[in-house]
Amino acid sequence: MTQLTYTPYDGSAKPFTIGLAPLDCARWIEPDADLRRYLDEKRRLLRDYRDDIFVSEAGSENAQQECLDLLAAYLCDQHPAIYRRKDDVVSAAGHSVDLADTSVPPLLKAGSLISDDLVIMRRKTDGWHLVAGHVAFPSSWSLQEKFGRPMQAIHADVPGFGEGTRNATLITRIFDNLQVPQPVERMNWSVNTTNELSVPTSKHRRPQGTTAPTLETRFARVERQTLRKLPISGDILFTIRVYVDPIAAIANHPKASELALSFAAQLDALDERQVVYKGLVHQKAELVRQLRVLAEVASSA
């Protein structure tokens, strides 16, 4: 992709903050020209790594079905040029899902319709737990490691979000108070050495690159996340859409200079723990320098 869809490193989404905003239900899922590529990759991962990309807790089946029903109706209503339904079969981008096929878990069918990953969170006595997920494109985390755990444990290694932190308390309160008619969204970004959609290994567990980083060989990985309370079960459906582009693509943006400077400033402002978490210990300074050079070149063009 060369046209940047979302650029949260422009300062609109500060790293390591909750940053939720109200979401118009009509914008819940945003299929685009990359849909087939994402669905093809999901199909391959499902064939080869099913246990890594799909989990479900006993008792989550009704919530999964609620998700599938809501999603199928939404897609055919809001995106009729892309999604077609004939009887119980929904088709899009060369892929078809039989909604009536009881041999396939409902959440697996739902995730096979869209580019986004899907997670169902359920309130238990000690917080909101991940009870089901179809996550083909994790951003440096493992679905199996997070399965069944409460939100504060899921975020344990995120600076400022572990158990007992103010952010952990706020997230629980936000989840508790989320209303059915008002979904919310947030943006997140990271820097990766690969443009692969599926990155299940934590950045600080991966071997550090031996080559100097460049804007062409480092990729901005953006996540558009939405939270929607399911009206029947009361569970929360979490969607994650990943966009991956070389950082150098900023040069094609109409506001390239401003965007490059903002990205550089956000990287530069990361503290030591945040830099380690994002896997940028040996890259941050050089990426900041190159982004500032790009800003200068763009401003003089």
Side-chain angles (χ1 to χ4, degrees):
M1 296 173 63
T2 55
Q3 298 300 316
L4 302 175
T5 305
Y6 288 106
T7 57
Y9 37 80
D10 59 6
S12 59
K14 187 178 178 183
F16 300 97
T17 60
I18 297 172
L20 290 170
L23 171 66
D24 181 351
C25 288
R27 292 185 49 247
W28 180 32
I29 304 296
E30 299 181 333
D32 56 23
D34 275 327
L35 179 61
R36 180 187 287 270
R37 179 168 68 93
Y38 280 67
L39 295 186
D40 286 348
E41 182 64 1
K42 280 192 175 187
R43 177 184 286 171
R44 183 189 71 81
L45 291 167
L46 180 61
R47 181 191 68 229
D48 297 340
Y49 304 101
R50 178 186 170 115
D51 290 345
D52 293 326
I53 73 168
F54 179 75
V55 295
S56 66
E57 197 173 274
S60 68
E61 294 83 6
N62 287 344
Q64 293 183 49
Q65 186 64 48
E66 186 180 3
C67 166
L68 176 60
D69 293 343
L70 184 67
L71 185 62
Y74 167 86
L75 294 172
C76 294
D77 180 56
Q78 292 293 325
H79 302 285
I82 300 173
Y83 290 90
R84 304 293 174 86
R85 180 168 181 170
K86 183 177 181 181
D87 298 324
D88 288 320
V89 177
V90 176
S91 301
H95 290 252
S96 296
V97 172
D98 185 351
L99 304 181
D101 183 358
T102 58
S103 68
V104 180
L107 194 67
L108 197 52
K109 289 186 280 191
S112 299
L113 287 169
I114 56 177
S115 301
D116 310 54
D117 286 329
L118 299 171
V119 169
I120 294 176
M121 304 296 297
R122 174 167 293 172
R123 187 62 157 103
K124 298 187 180 182
T125 55
D126 60 341
W128 288 85
H129 288 241
L130 195 165
V131 297
H134 182 188
V135 180
F137 309 135
S139 296
S140 302
W141 61 282
S142 163
L143 180 61
Q144 285 287 351
E145 288 180 4
K146 308 298 185 183
F147 178 43
R149 303 176 73 187
M151 185 63 76
Q152 60 269 25
I154 290 173
H155 287 153
D157 61 344
V158 181
F161 281 81
E163 187 170 3
T165 62
R166 179 175 179 273
N167 282 326
T169 301
L170 284 174
I171 289 173
T172 299
R173 188 178 304 160
I174 289 167
F175 275 46
D176 285 344
N177 294 324
L178 190 64
Q179 300 299 306
V180 171
Q182 184 55 79
V184 294
E185 70 176 336
R186 70 182 295 268
M187 297 290 174
N188 190 27
W189 62 265
S190 57
V191 174
N192 277 14
T193 58
T194 176
N195 63 352
E196 294 290 331
L197 291 172
S198 180
V199 187
T201 306
S202 173
K203 287 182 287 293
H204 48 271
R205 294 180 186 171
R206 281 184 238 139
Q208 292 292 327
T210 56
T211 58
T214 68
L215 302 188
E216 290 75 19
T217 62
R218 294 300 181 267
F219 299 86
R221 185 180 179 94
V222 172
E223 291 183 346
R224 176 182 180 259
Q225 306 170 354
T226 79
L227 294 169
R228 185 166 187 170
K229 187 169 186 177
L230 298 175
I232 299 173
S233 63
D235 293 340
I236 290 176
L237 178 62
F238 182 37
T239 76
I240 312 152
R241 169 66 196 274
V242 171
Y243 301 85
V244 186
D245 298 281
I247 299 177
I250 289 174
N252 300 324
H253 195 276
K255 296 183 178 180
S257 180
E258 296 173 30
L259 196 55
L261 283 175
S262 177
F263 203 161
Q266 290 215 358
L267 284 172
D268 204 28
L270 295 175
D271 65 30
E272 185 175 350
R273 286 188 64 212
Q274 293 169 344
V275 169
V276 170
Y277 176 78
K278 284 189 173 288
L280 295 171
V281 172
H282 303 296
Q283 305 180 67
K284 171 184 162 180
E286 180 59 18
L287 290 175
V288 168
R289 186 191 70 80
Q290 292 185 35
L291 280 164
R292 288 174 175 159
V293 170
L294 172 58
E296 290 180 12
V297 171
S299 65
S300 62

